[in-house]
Amino acid sequence: MSKQRILSIEYIRGLSMLGVIGIHTGAYSLANPDVNVHLFALLEICTRFSVPIFFFVSAFGLFLHHNLEAPFNYFNFMKRRCRTVLIPYIVWSLLYMIHYTWVSGDISPWFPGILVKYLLFGLASYQLYFLVILLWFYSFMPLWRMIVKGIAKAPGFYLTVLLLLQIAVNYYSSYILEANFANRYINMAIQYRLSYWVIHYIFIFLLGAICALHYQQFIHKLRKYRIAITCFFGVTLLGMTGYYYHLLFTKHYSPEEAVNTVHQLSPIGVLYTLATTLFLLVLFESYRLNPVIKATLTQLGERSYAVYLVHPFVMYYLIGFINSKNIIMSVPVVLAFYVFTAAISLAISWLIHFSSRSRPSIGLLLTGSAAKK
């Protein structure tokens, strides 16, 4: 696997991290009753590929050098994943809960029943659910190995079938399924399904696996059809934004209601995620990037894990400062909020990285790895 191909995945990871910060910035922009709906669309609609594409990147990393025919040691595999994901997940969950109790005085999250629920569903902070789903994906690795073996025999056909099934399942989960069963535990499991149901992201995960196993052939196909892929991306982006504006101006939805309808699990959202994934691969594999953009995406890609984990802390104190000064979340303020969040989070991620050189336990606890001296 060439360095350039690996860098392409790194660029996607970095761009997706910017998208995640955009989504969370959009939520804070709603503090302004007269929110700019066009900026909100940029932050909340155009970035909706960000979380699903992380599962593509995760599967790509898992299967990049994975031999499906070699014996698979499940214990060693899970041991490594627990170190890189489970330990940081628990540590950051506890940090966010300690912080919440410190600023609010509320100790209820520490009650045993509530604590278990928080850790099971990633409720300590709004971004941590991703790690819960990722751990579930890891736990089913033997199943993914078998499925990928089958898909590899006719990837075009099987991936198309999976895509259609994914759209149907996500539609049912998003717009039909309700937690109204007699058993409260079943209701809880359904209520928090977005926090741990891997079924919502199986297609994009398996696409990442197939892409990693047959990368050269995959990229060759993408380059061959790059015009069609670019058009596909444009059509799905237009579909996402067009549906959003339709809900706003025709159905008279609020911006928050609209984005809760036009999300990554909606039918157009699934297609948009696929189109963006293919488009970014074509873009990064076929064209030479500006050195500044290349360096920025590389840094964000390398530090994306720590940035993802820490940025809600940064946002909390930035919004606290803005509120203390009675500053309205106007367009310039929202953009500044976004830039400062990304910059400060990146700086903290570097601090964690360099600190782990002298104290490896810092890196192991916070990011699952320690920097080499």
PDB file of all heavy atoms in Angstrom, residues 270-296:
ATOM      1  N   VAL A 270     -27.966   8.616   3.623  1.00  0.00           N
ATOM      2  CA  VAL A 270     -27.158   7.427   3.337  1.00  0.00           C
ATOM      3  C   VAL A 270     -26.489   7.571   1.974  1.00  0.00           C
ATOM      4  O   VAL A 270     -25.293   7.284   1.815  1.00  0.00           O
ATOM      5  CB  VAL A 270     -28.028   6.153   3.389  1.00  0.00           C
ATOM      6  CG1 VAL A 270     -27.224   4.938   2.940  1.00  0.00           C
ATOM      7  CG2 VAL A 270     -28.569   5.933   4.798  1.00  0.00           C
ATOM      8  N   LEU A 271     -27.259   8.023   0.980  1.00  0.00           N
ATOM      9  CA  LEU A 271     -26.704   8.205  -0.359  1.00  0.00           C
ATOM     10  C   LEU A 271     -25.652   9.319  -0.367  1.00  0.00           C
ATOM     11  O   LEU A 271     -24.628   9.210  -1.057  1.00  0.00           O
ATOM     12  CB  LEU A 271     -27.822   8.534  -1.338  1.00  0.00           C
ATOM     13  CG  LEU A 271     -28.830   7.410  -1.601  1.00  0.00           C
ATOM     14  CD1 LEU A 271     -29.951   7.898  -2.506  1.00  0.00           C
ATOM     15  CD2 LEU A 271     -28.153   6.187  -2.206  1.00  0.00           C
ATOM     16  N   TYR A 272     -25.897  10.369   0.401  1.00  0.00           N
ATOM     17  CA  TYR A 272     -24.937  11.476   0.477  1.00  0.00           C
ATOM     18  C   TYR A 272     -23.622  11.021   1.109  1.00  0.00           C
ATOM     19  O   TYR A 272     -22.540  11.408   0.649  1.00  0.00           O
ATOM     20  CB  TYR A 272     -25.546  12.626   1.283  1.00  0.00           C
ATOM     21  CG  TYR A 272     -24.628  13.805   1.473  1.00  0.00           C
ATOM     22  CD1 TYR A 272     -24.093  14.485   0.390  1.00  0.00           C
ATOM     23  CD2 TYR A 272     -24.285  14.245   2.758  1.00  0.00           C
ATOM     24  CE1 TYR A 272     -23.241  15.570   0.563  1.00  0.00           C
ATOM     25  CE2 TYR A 272     -23.445  15.335   2.939  1.00  0.00           C
ATOM     26  CZ  TYR A 272     -22.922  15.989   1.843  1.00  0.00           C
ATOM     27  OH  TYR A 272     -22.088  17.064   2.020  1.00  0.00           O
ATOM     28  N   THR A 273     -23.705  10.189   2.134  1.00  0.00           N
ATOM     29  CA  THR A 273     -22.492   9.656   2.755  1.00  0.00           C
ATOM     30  C   THR A 273     -21.692   8.826   1.756  1.00  0.00           C
ATOM     31  O   THR A 273     -20.466   8.960   1.650  1.00  0.00           O
ATOM     32  CB  THR A 273     -22.848   8.793   3.972  1.00  0.00           C
ATOM     33  OG1 THR A 273     -23.457   9.613   4.968  1.00  0.00           O
ATOM     34  CG2 THR A 273     -21.606   8.134   4.564  1.00  0.00           C
ATOM     35  N   LEU A 274     -22.385   7.961   1.019  1.00  0.00           N
ATOM     36  CA  LEU A 274     -21.712   7.147   0.006  1.00  0.00           C
ATOM     37  C   LEU A 274     -21.075   8.034  -1.056  1.00  0.00           C
ATOM     38  O   LEU A 274     -19.895   7.852  -1.406  1.00  0.00           O
ATOM     39  CB  LEU A 274     -22.714   6.190  -0.636  1.00  0.00           C
ATOM     40  CG  LEU A 274     -22.226   5.425  -1.877  1.00  0.00           C
ATOM     41  CD1 LEU A 274     -21.026   4.548  -1.545  1.00  0.00           C
ATOM     42  CD2 LEU A 274     -23.366   4.593  -2.470  1.00  0.00           C
ATOM     43  N   ALA A 275     -21.837   8.992  -1.559  1.00  0.00           N
ATOM     44  CA  ALA A 275     -21.325   9.868  -2.621  1.00  0.00           C
ATOM     45  C   ALA A 275     -20.123  10.676  -2.147  1.00  0.00           C
ATOM     46  O   ALA A 275     -19.140  10.830  -2.879  1.00  0.00           O
ATOM     47  CB  ALA A 275     -22.440  10.802  -3.093  1.00  0.00           C
ATOM     48  N   THR A 276     -20.188  11.189  -0.919  1.00  0.00           N
ATOM     49  CA  THR A 276     -19.076  11.989  -0.390  1.00  0.00           C
ATOM     50  C   THR A 276     -17.831  11.133  -0.202  1.00  0.00           C
ATOM     51  O   THR A 276     -16.715  11.572  -0.491  1.00  0.00           O
ATOM     52  CB  THR A 276     -19.477  12.628   0.946  1.00  0.00           C
ATOM     53  OG1 THR A 276     -20.677  13.380   0.778  1.00  0.00           O
ATOM     54  CG2 THR A 276     -18.383  13.554   1.453  1.00  0.00           C
ATOM     55  N   THR A 277     -18.011   9.901   0.280  1.00  0.00           N
ATOM     56  CA  THR A 277     -16.881   8.994   0.459  1.00  0.00           C
ATOM     57  C   THR A 277     -16.174   8.747  -0.864  1.00  0.00           C
ATOM     58  O   THR A 277     -14.939   8.860  -0.968  1.00  0.00           O
ATOM     59  CB  THR A 277     -17.352   7.664   1.055  1.00  0.00           C
ATOM     60  OG1 THR A 277     -18.032   7.892   2.289  1.00  0.00           O
ATOM     61  CG2 THR A 277     -16.174   6.726   1.296  1.00  0.00           C
ATOM     62  N   LEU A 278     -16.941   8.408  -1.896  1.00  0.00           N
ATOM     63  CA  LEU A 278     -16.357   8.137  -3.207  1.00  0.00           C
ATOM     64  C   LEU A 278     -15.729   9.396  -3.796  1.00  0.00           C
ATOM     65  O   LEU A 278     -14.631   9.349  -4.376  1.00  0.00           O
ATOM     66  CB  LEU A 278     -17.438   7.597  -4.151  1.00  0.00           C
ATOM     67  CG  LEU A 278     -18.128   6.295  -3.724  1.00  0.00           C
ATOM     68  CD1 LEU A 278     -19.176   5.897  -4.757  1.00  0.00           C
ATOM     69  CD2 LEU A 278     -17.122   5.174  -3.524  1.00  0.00           C
ATOM     70  N   PHE A 279     -16.422  10.517  -3.640  1.00  0.00           N
ATOM     71  CA  PHE A 279     -15.920  11.783  -4.190  1.00  0.00           C
ATOM     72  C   PHE A 279     -14.598  12.187  -3.540  1.00  0.00           C
ATOM     73  O   PHE A 279     -13.655  12.613  -4.227  1.00  0.00           O
ATOM     74  CB  PHE A 279     -16.968  12.880  -3.992  1.00  0.00           C
ATOM     75  CG  PHE A 279     -16.495  14.242  -4.400  1.00  0.00           C
ATOM     76  CD1 PHE A 279     -16.356  14.581  -5.745  1.00  0.00           C
ATOM     77  CD2 PHE A 279     -16.182  15.200  -3.444  1.00  0.00           C
ATOM     78  CE1 PHE A 279     -15.912  15.841  -6.125  1.00  0.00           C
ATOM     79  CE2 PHE A 279     -15.737  16.456  -3.811  1.00  0.00           C
ATOM     80  CZ  PHE A 279     -15.604  16.781  -5.160  1.00  0.00           C
ATOM     81  N   LEU A 280     -14.502  12.066  -2.223  1.00  0.00           N
ATOM     82  CA  LEU A 280     -13.270  12.454  -1.528  1.00  0.00           C
ATOM     83  C   LEU A 280     -12.109  11.539  -1.911  1.00  0.00           C
ATOM     84  O   LEU A 280     -10.966  11.998  -2.053  1.00  0.00           O
ATOM     85  CB  LEU A 280     -13.489  12.434  -0.018  1.00  0.00           C
ATOM     86  CG  LEU A 280     -14.412  13.525   0.532  1.00  0.00           C
ATOM     87  CD1 LEU A 280     -14.590  13.371   2.039  1.00  0.00           C
ATOM     88  CD2 LEU A 280     -13.868  14.917   0.204  1.00  0.00           C
ATOM     89  N   LEU A 281     -12.385  10.263  -2.083  1.00  0.00           N
ATOM     90  CA  LEU A 281     -11.334   9.345  -2.523  1.00  0.00           C
ATOM     91  C   LEU A 281     -10.834   9.725  -3.912  1.00  0.00           C
ATOM     92  O   LEU A 281      -9.621   9.748  -4.167  1.00  0.00           O
ATOM     93  CB  LEU A 281     -11.854   7.908  -2.517  1.00  0.00           C
ATOM     94  CG  LEU A 281     -11.959   7.229  -1.147  1.00  0.00           C
ATOM     95  CD1 LEU A 281     -12.685   5.903  -1.271  1.00  0.00           C
ATOM     96  CD2 LEU A 281     -10.576   7.016  -0.541  1.00  0.00           C
ATOM     97  N   VAL A 282     -11.763  10.027  -4.809  1.00  0.00           N
ATOM     98  CA  VAL A 282     -11.370  10.465  -6.154  1.00  0.00           C
ATOM     99  C   VAL A 282     -10.575  11.761  -6.077  1.00  0.00           C
ATOM    100  O   VAL A 282      -9.531  11.919  -6.724  1.00  0.00           O
ATOM    101  CB  VAL A 282     -12.611  10.655  -7.043  1.00  0.00           C
ATOM    102  CG1 VAL A 282     -12.233  11.386  -8.334  1.00  0.00           C
ATOM    103  CG2 VAL A 282     -13.236   9.316  -7.376  1.00  0.00           C
ATOM    104  N   LEU A 283     -11.055  12.696  -5.271  1.00  0.00           N
ATOM    105  CA  LEU A 283     -10.408  14.001  -5.143  1.00  0.00           C
ATOM    106  C   LEU A 283      -8.981  13.876  -4.632  1.00  0.00           C
ATOM    107  O   LEU A 283      -8.037  14.431  -5.210  1.00  0.00           O
ATOM    108  CB  LEU A 283     -11.228  14.882  -4.204  1.00  0.00           C
ATOM    109  CG  LEU A 283     -10.700  16.295  -3.939  1.00  0.00           C
ATOM    110  CD1 LEU A 283     -10.782  17.135  -5.209  1.00  0.00           C
ATOM    111  CD2 LEU A 283     -11.482  16.957  -2.808  1.00  0.00           C
ATOM    112  N   PHE A 284      -8.811  13.126  -3.537  1.00  0.00           N
ATOM    113  CA  PHE A 284      -7.495  13.042  -2.911  1.00  0.00           C
ATOM    114  C   PHE A 284      -6.542  12.125  -3.659  1.00  0.00           C
ATOM    115  O   PHE A 284      -5.323  12.243  -3.513  1.00  0.00           O
ATOM    116  CB  PHE A 284      -7.643  12.570  -1.462  1.00  0.00           C
ATOM    117  CG  PHE A 284      -8.361  13.562  -0.578  1.00  0.00           C
ATOM    118  CD1 PHE A 284      -9.199  13.131   0.436  1.00  0.00           C
ATOM    119  CD2 PHE A 284      -8.194  14.921  -0.760  1.00  0.00           C
ATOM    120  CE1 PHE A 284      -9.859  14.036   1.250  1.00  0.00           C
ATOM    121  CE2 PHE A 284      -8.845  15.842   0.047  1.00  0.00           C
ATOM    122  CZ  PHE A 284      -9.676  15.402   1.057  1.00  0.00           C
ATOM    123  N   GLU A 285      -7.074  11.205  -4.458  1.00  0.00           N
ATOM    124  CA  GLU A 285      -6.214  10.294  -5.213  1.00  0.00           C
ATOM    125  C   GLU A 285      -5.867  10.824  -6.593  1.00  0.00           C
ATOM    126  O   GLU A 285      -4.892  10.376  -7.196  1.00  0.00           O
ATOM    127  CB  GLU A 285      -6.887   8.924  -5.356  1.00  0.00           C
ATOM    128  CG  GLU A 285      -6.873   8.081  -4.103  1.00  0.00           C
ATOM    129  CD  GLU A 285      -5.479   7.590  -3.753  1.00  0.00           C
ATOM    130  OE1 GLU A 285      -4.592   7.606  -4.625  1.00  0.00           O
ATOM    131  OE2 GLU A 285      -5.264   7.189  -2.605  1.00  0.00           O
ATOM    132  N   SER A 286      -6.669  11.755  -7.108  1.00  0.00           N
ATOM    133  CA  SER A 286      -6.492  12.190  -8.498  1.00  0.00           C
ATOM    134  C   SER A 286      -5.881  13.567  -8.648  1.00  0.00           C
ATOM    135  O   SER A 286      -5.385  13.910  -9.724  1.00  0.00           O
ATOM    136  CB  SER A 286      -7.849  12.157  -9.216  1.00  0.00           C
ATOM    137  OG  SER A 286      -8.425  10.864  -9.160  1.00  0.00           O
ATOM    138  N   TYR A 287      -5.935  14.380  -7.579  1.00  0.00           N
ATOM    139  CA  TYR A 287      -5.481  15.758  -7.705  1.00  0.00           C
ATOM    140  C   TYR A 287      -4.470  16.095  -6.610  1.00  0.00           C
ATOM    141  O   TYR A 287      -4.558  15.578  -5.499  1.00  0.00           O
ATOM    142  CB  TYR A 287      -6.671  16.722  -7.632  1.00  0.00           C
ATOM    143  CG  TYR A 287      -7.720  16.439  -8.683  1.00  0.00           C
ATOM    144  CD1 TYR A 287      -8.858  15.692  -8.361  1.00  0.00           C
ATOM    145  CD2 TYR A 287      -7.564  16.884  -9.993  1.00  0.00           C
ATOM    146  CE1 TYR A 287      -9.822  15.418  -9.326  1.00  0.00           C
ATOM    147  CE2 TYR A 287      -8.523  16.608 -10.955  1.00  0.00           C
ATOM    148  CZ  TYR A 287      -9.650  15.869 -10.612  1.00  0.00           C
ATOM    149  OH  TYR A 287     -10.589  15.591 -11.560  1.00  0.00           O
ATOM    150  N   ARG A 288      -3.562  16.972  -6.933  1.00  0.00           N
ATOM    151  CA  ARG A 288      -2.536  17.407  -5.980  1.00  0.00           C
ATOM    152  C   ARG A 288      -3.093  18.546  -5.134  1.00  0.00           C
ATOM    153  O   ARG A 288      -3.610  19.536  -5.653  1.00  0.00           O
ATOM    154  CB  ARG A 288      -1.282  17.868  -6.721  1.00  0.00           C
ATOM    155  CG  ARG A 288      -0.143  18.272  -5.803  1.00  0.00           C
ATOM    156  CD  ARG A 288       1.134  18.480  -6.588  1.00  0.00           C
ATOM    157  NE  ARG A 288       1.571  17.242  -7.223  1.00  0.00           N
ATOM    158  CZ  ARG A 288       2.656  17.146  -7.988  1.00  0.00           C
ATOM    159  NH1 ARG A 288       3.396  18.211  -8.216  1.00  0.00           N
ATOM    160  NH2 ARG A 288       2.976  15.991  -8.533  1.00  0.00           N
ATOM    161  N   LEU A 289      -2.975  18.393  -3.818  1.00  0.00           N
ATOM    162  CA  LEU A 289      -3.522  19.378  -2.902  1.00  0.00           C
ATOM    163  C   LEU A 289      -2.566  20.538  -2.691  1.00  0.00           C
ATOM    164  O   LEU A 289      -1.348  20.382  -2.798  1.00  0.00           O
ATOM    165  CB  LEU A 289      -3.825  18.734  -1.544  1.00  0.00           C
ATOM    166  CG  LEU A 289      -4.907  17.660  -1.486  1.00  0.00           C
ATOM    167  CD1 LEU A 289      -5.027  17.141  -0.064  1.00  0.00           C
ATOM    168  CD2 LEU A 289      -6.240  18.199  -1.960  1.00  0.00           C
ATOM    169  N   ASN A 290      -3.135  21.698  -2.374  1.00  0.00           N
ATOM    170  CA  ASN A 290      -2.340  22.835  -1.937  1.00  0.00           C
ATOM    171  C   ASN A 290      -1.554  22.429  -0.696  1.00  0.00           C
ATOM    172  O   ASN A 290      -2.094  21.767   0.191  1.00  0.00           O
ATOM    173  CB  ASN A 290      -3.276  24.010  -1.627  1.00  0.00           C
ATOM    174  CG  ASN A 290      -2.540  25.215  -1.078  1.00  0.00           C
ATOM    175  OD1 ASN A 290      -2.180  25.247   0.091  1.00  0.00           O
ATOM    176  ND2 ASN A 290      -2.327  26.201  -1.927  1.00  0.00           N
ATOM    177  N   PRO A 291      -0.267  22.795  -0.602  1.00  0.00           N
ATOM    178  CA  PRO A 291       0.549  22.355   0.543  1.00  0.00           C
ATOM    179  C   PRO A 291      -0.030  22.735   1.899  1.00  0.00           C
ATOM    180  O   PRO A 291       0.074  21.964   2.857  1.00  0.00           O
ATOM    181  CB  PRO A 291       1.891  23.057   0.296  1.00  0.00           C
ATOM    182  CG  PRO A 291       1.940  23.260  -1.177  1.00  0.00           C
ATOM    183  CD  PRO A 291       0.536  23.522  -1.599  1.00  0.00           C
ATOM    184  N   VAL A 292      -0.647  23.906   1.999  1.00  0.00           N
ATOM    185  CA  VAL A 292      -1.223  24.332   3.272  1.00  0.00           C
ATOM    186  C   VAL A 292      -2.410  23.441   3.643  1.00  0.00           C
ATOM    187  O   VAL A 292      -2.543  22.984   4.786  1.00  0.00           O
ATOM    188  CB  VAL A 292      -1.661  25.812   3.213  1.00  0.00           C
ATOM    189  CG1 VAL A 292      -2.379  26.209   4.506  1.00  0.00           C
ATOM    190  CG2 VAL A 292      -0.455  26.708   2.985  1.00  0.00           C
ATOM    191  N   ILE A 293      -3.281  23.192   2.665  1.00  0.00           N
ATOM    192  CA  ILE A 293      -4.432  22.316   2.914  1.00  0.00           C
ATOM    193  C   ILE A 293      -3.961  20.913   3.255  1.00  0.00           C
ATOM    194  O   ILE A 293      -4.478  20.267   4.173  1.00  0.00           O
ATOM    195  CB  ILE A 293      -5.359  22.293   1.682  1.00  0.00           C
ATOM    196  CG1 ILE A 293      -5.954  23.685   1.440  1.00  0.00           C
ATOM    197  CG2 ILE A 293      -6.460  21.256   1.865  1.00  0.00           C
ATOM    198  CD1 ILE A 293      -6.800  23.778   0.189  1.00  0.00           C
ATOM    199  N   LYS A 294      -2.954  20.448   2.517  1.00  0.00           N
ATOM    200  CA  LYS A 294      -2.407  19.116   2.762  1.00  0.00           C
ATOM    201  C   LYS A 294      -1.862  18.989   4.176  1.00  0.00           C
ATOM    202  O   LYS A 294      -2.152  18.020   4.891  1.00  0.00           O
ATOM    203  CB  LYS A 294      -1.303  18.827   1.740  1.00  0.00           C
ATOM    204  CG  LYS A 294      -0.661  17.464   1.876  1.00  0.00           C
ATOM    205  CD  LYS A 294       0.397  17.280   0.792  1.00  0.00           C
ATOM    206  CE  LYS A 294       1.091  15.935   0.938  1.00  0.00           C
ATOM    207  NZ  LYS A 294       2.120  15.739  -0.121  1.00  0.00           N
ATOM    208  N   ALA A 295      -1.096  19.992   4.615  1.00  0.00           N
ATOM    209  CA  ALA A 295      -0.522  19.958   5.958  1.00  0.00           C
ATOM    210  C   ALA A 295      -1.604  20.044   7.026  1.00  0.00           C
ATOM    211  O   ALA A 295      -1.540  19.350   8.046  1.00  0.00           O
ATOM    212  CB  ALA A 295       0.468  21.110   6.129  1.00  0.00           C
ATOM    213  N   THR A 296      -2.614  20.870   6.781  1.00  0.00           N
ATOM    214  CA  THR A 296      -3.700  21.020   7.756  1.00  0.00           C
ATOM    215  C   THR A 296      -4.484  19.724   7.908  1.00  0.00           C
ATOM    216  O   THR A 296      -4.756  19.270   9.030  1.00  0.00           O
ATOM    217  CB  THR A 296      -4.657  22.147   7.324  1.00  0.00           C
ATOM    218  OG1 THR A 296      -3.928  23.371   7.219  1.00  0.00           O
ATOM    219  CG2 THR A 296      -5.780  22.317   8.327  1.00  0.00           C
TER     220      THR A 296
END
